[in-house]
Amino acid sequence: MRFTSEQRLDNGVLEREFTLREIPGILWTPASAPAPLILLGHPPLGLRKMYPRLVDRARHSAAEGFATATIELPGSGDRPRLPAAEQARADLRRAMEAGEPVSDEIVDALVLPLVDKAVPEWQAALDALLSLPEIGGPVGYSGGVISIGVRLAVVEPRIVAAGFFAGSFVPRATFEEARQVTIPLHVLLQWDDEGNDRQAALDLFDAFGSKEKSLNANMGGHTGVPQSAADAAVQFFTRHLK
């Protein structure tokens, strides 16, 4: 891991950009250290586009004493495109524009290669982050592509709690993996999210094997998440990471 820039935000939060091999990332640490770590997932839209929302989440987490970090997803931002994913996105657009149902084959082609590539990168980033003196365990995972979060919850024992955003397209294989998830979960669902299948989100929640899992459902669309929902997520991580 090589740090490439740093700046001090309000309330003593230190923001540092880094690269891990060819993967860009950002680390935010509170004034108090060492701090528990939350990995901030995000959709594959690029860190530059997602930065305003990510830094807001980081500030909110730092106020509660958490360090946070994120990395650029494969095929996003300035990273090389993934040809198979680009084709799947084109197939997805055609199906949606034609008013046709999105097939399982399109969803699998769109999501599974991203999961297969992104999860080992998250694990490599976690190796590097936990070697820093300002980072102390335990570790949580929050938001982003839910299929990536599910896979991480299954294969990465250092992640002890996860907060998921119930949205995006979910491959059939993710439902099977969800049954293997046993860590505490906090799942946020926007009830009127126009771009997501509510029933699929409910079915995935039901599939999770965790003994402790909560569903925070709120009225409103994808961008209408109330502040109370964000506060509830922080309270969840406070219970399990401190």
Side-chain angles (χ1 to χ4, degrees):
M1 173 181 283
R2 181 173 64 90
F3 289 107
T4 57
S5 71
E6 71 173 57
Q7 64 172 328
R8 187 72 65 173
L9 307 180
D10 51 329
N11 298 322
V13 179
L14 180 62
E15 176 185 283
R16 286 175 287 175
E17 296 186 3
F18 64 83
T19 57
L20 181 68
R21 299 191 294 271
E22 80 285 2
I23 307 166
I26 309 174
L27 170 65
W28 295 270
T29 48
S32 58
L37 176 66
I38 300 175
L39 303 176
L40 298 182
H42 54 89
L45 301 176
L47 284 182
R48 292 177 184 174
K49 184 172 183 178
M50 291 302 302
Y51 177 80
R53 279 189 273 176
L54 287 165
V55 74
D56 184 64
R57 291 164 64 191
R59 282 190 170 109
H60 197 63
S61 298
E64 301 300 323
F66 295 110
T68 50
T70 192
I71 57 174
E72 187 74 88
L73 290 175
S76 296
D78 295 329
R79 298 188 65 184
R81 303 297 97 175
L82 302 177
E86 295 296 307
Q87 181 60 53
R89 287 192 187 96
D91 293 340
L92 173 66
R93 284 194 297 269
R94 279 195 293 270
M96 296 183 72
E97 289 170 0
E100 299 172 353
V102 178
S103 69
D104 289 337
E105 289 71 24
I106 291 176
V107 173
D108 288 354
L110 180 68
V111 179
L112 291 180
L114 176 63
V115 173
D116 290 342
K117 190 169 178 61
V119 167
E121 293 181 351
W122 271 115
Q123 291 180 293
L126 188 53
D127 289 341
L129 290 163
L130 289 178
S131 72
L132 300 174
E134 58 269 40
I135 303 297
V139 181
Y141 176 87
S142 174
V145 178
I146 196 167
S147 296
I148 293 176
V150 171
R151 176 75 60 81
L152 275 169
V154 172
V155 303
E156 181 47 73
R158 292 172 293 184
I159 294 176
V160 301
F164 293 147
F165 193 106
S168 71
F169 295 100
V170 181
R172 294 162 292 186
T174 300
F175 285 87
E176 295 304 316
E177 291 183 329
R179 294 179 173 86
Q180 303 174 51
V181 175
T182 58
I183 62 174
L185 297 178
H186 179 86
V187 181
L188 172 64
L189 171 63
Q190 286 300 103
W191 201 251
D192 305 303
D193 193 336
E194 59 283 352
N196 295 313
D197 186 331
R198 181 197 303 163
Q199 190 58 54
L202 294 173
D203 290 344
L204 182 61
F205 180 80
D206 188 52
F208 285 124
S210 302
K211 292 182 179 179
E212 180 185 338
K213 56 181 179 180
S214 60
L215 180 67
N216 187 325
N218 299 276
M219 305 303 291
H222 190 77
T223 59
V225 179
Q227 184 59 49
S228 60
D231 294 340
V234 171
Q235 291 167 9
F236 166 80
F237 284 116
T238 298
R239 289 197 305 274
H240 293 287
L241 302 186
K242 287 189 172 182

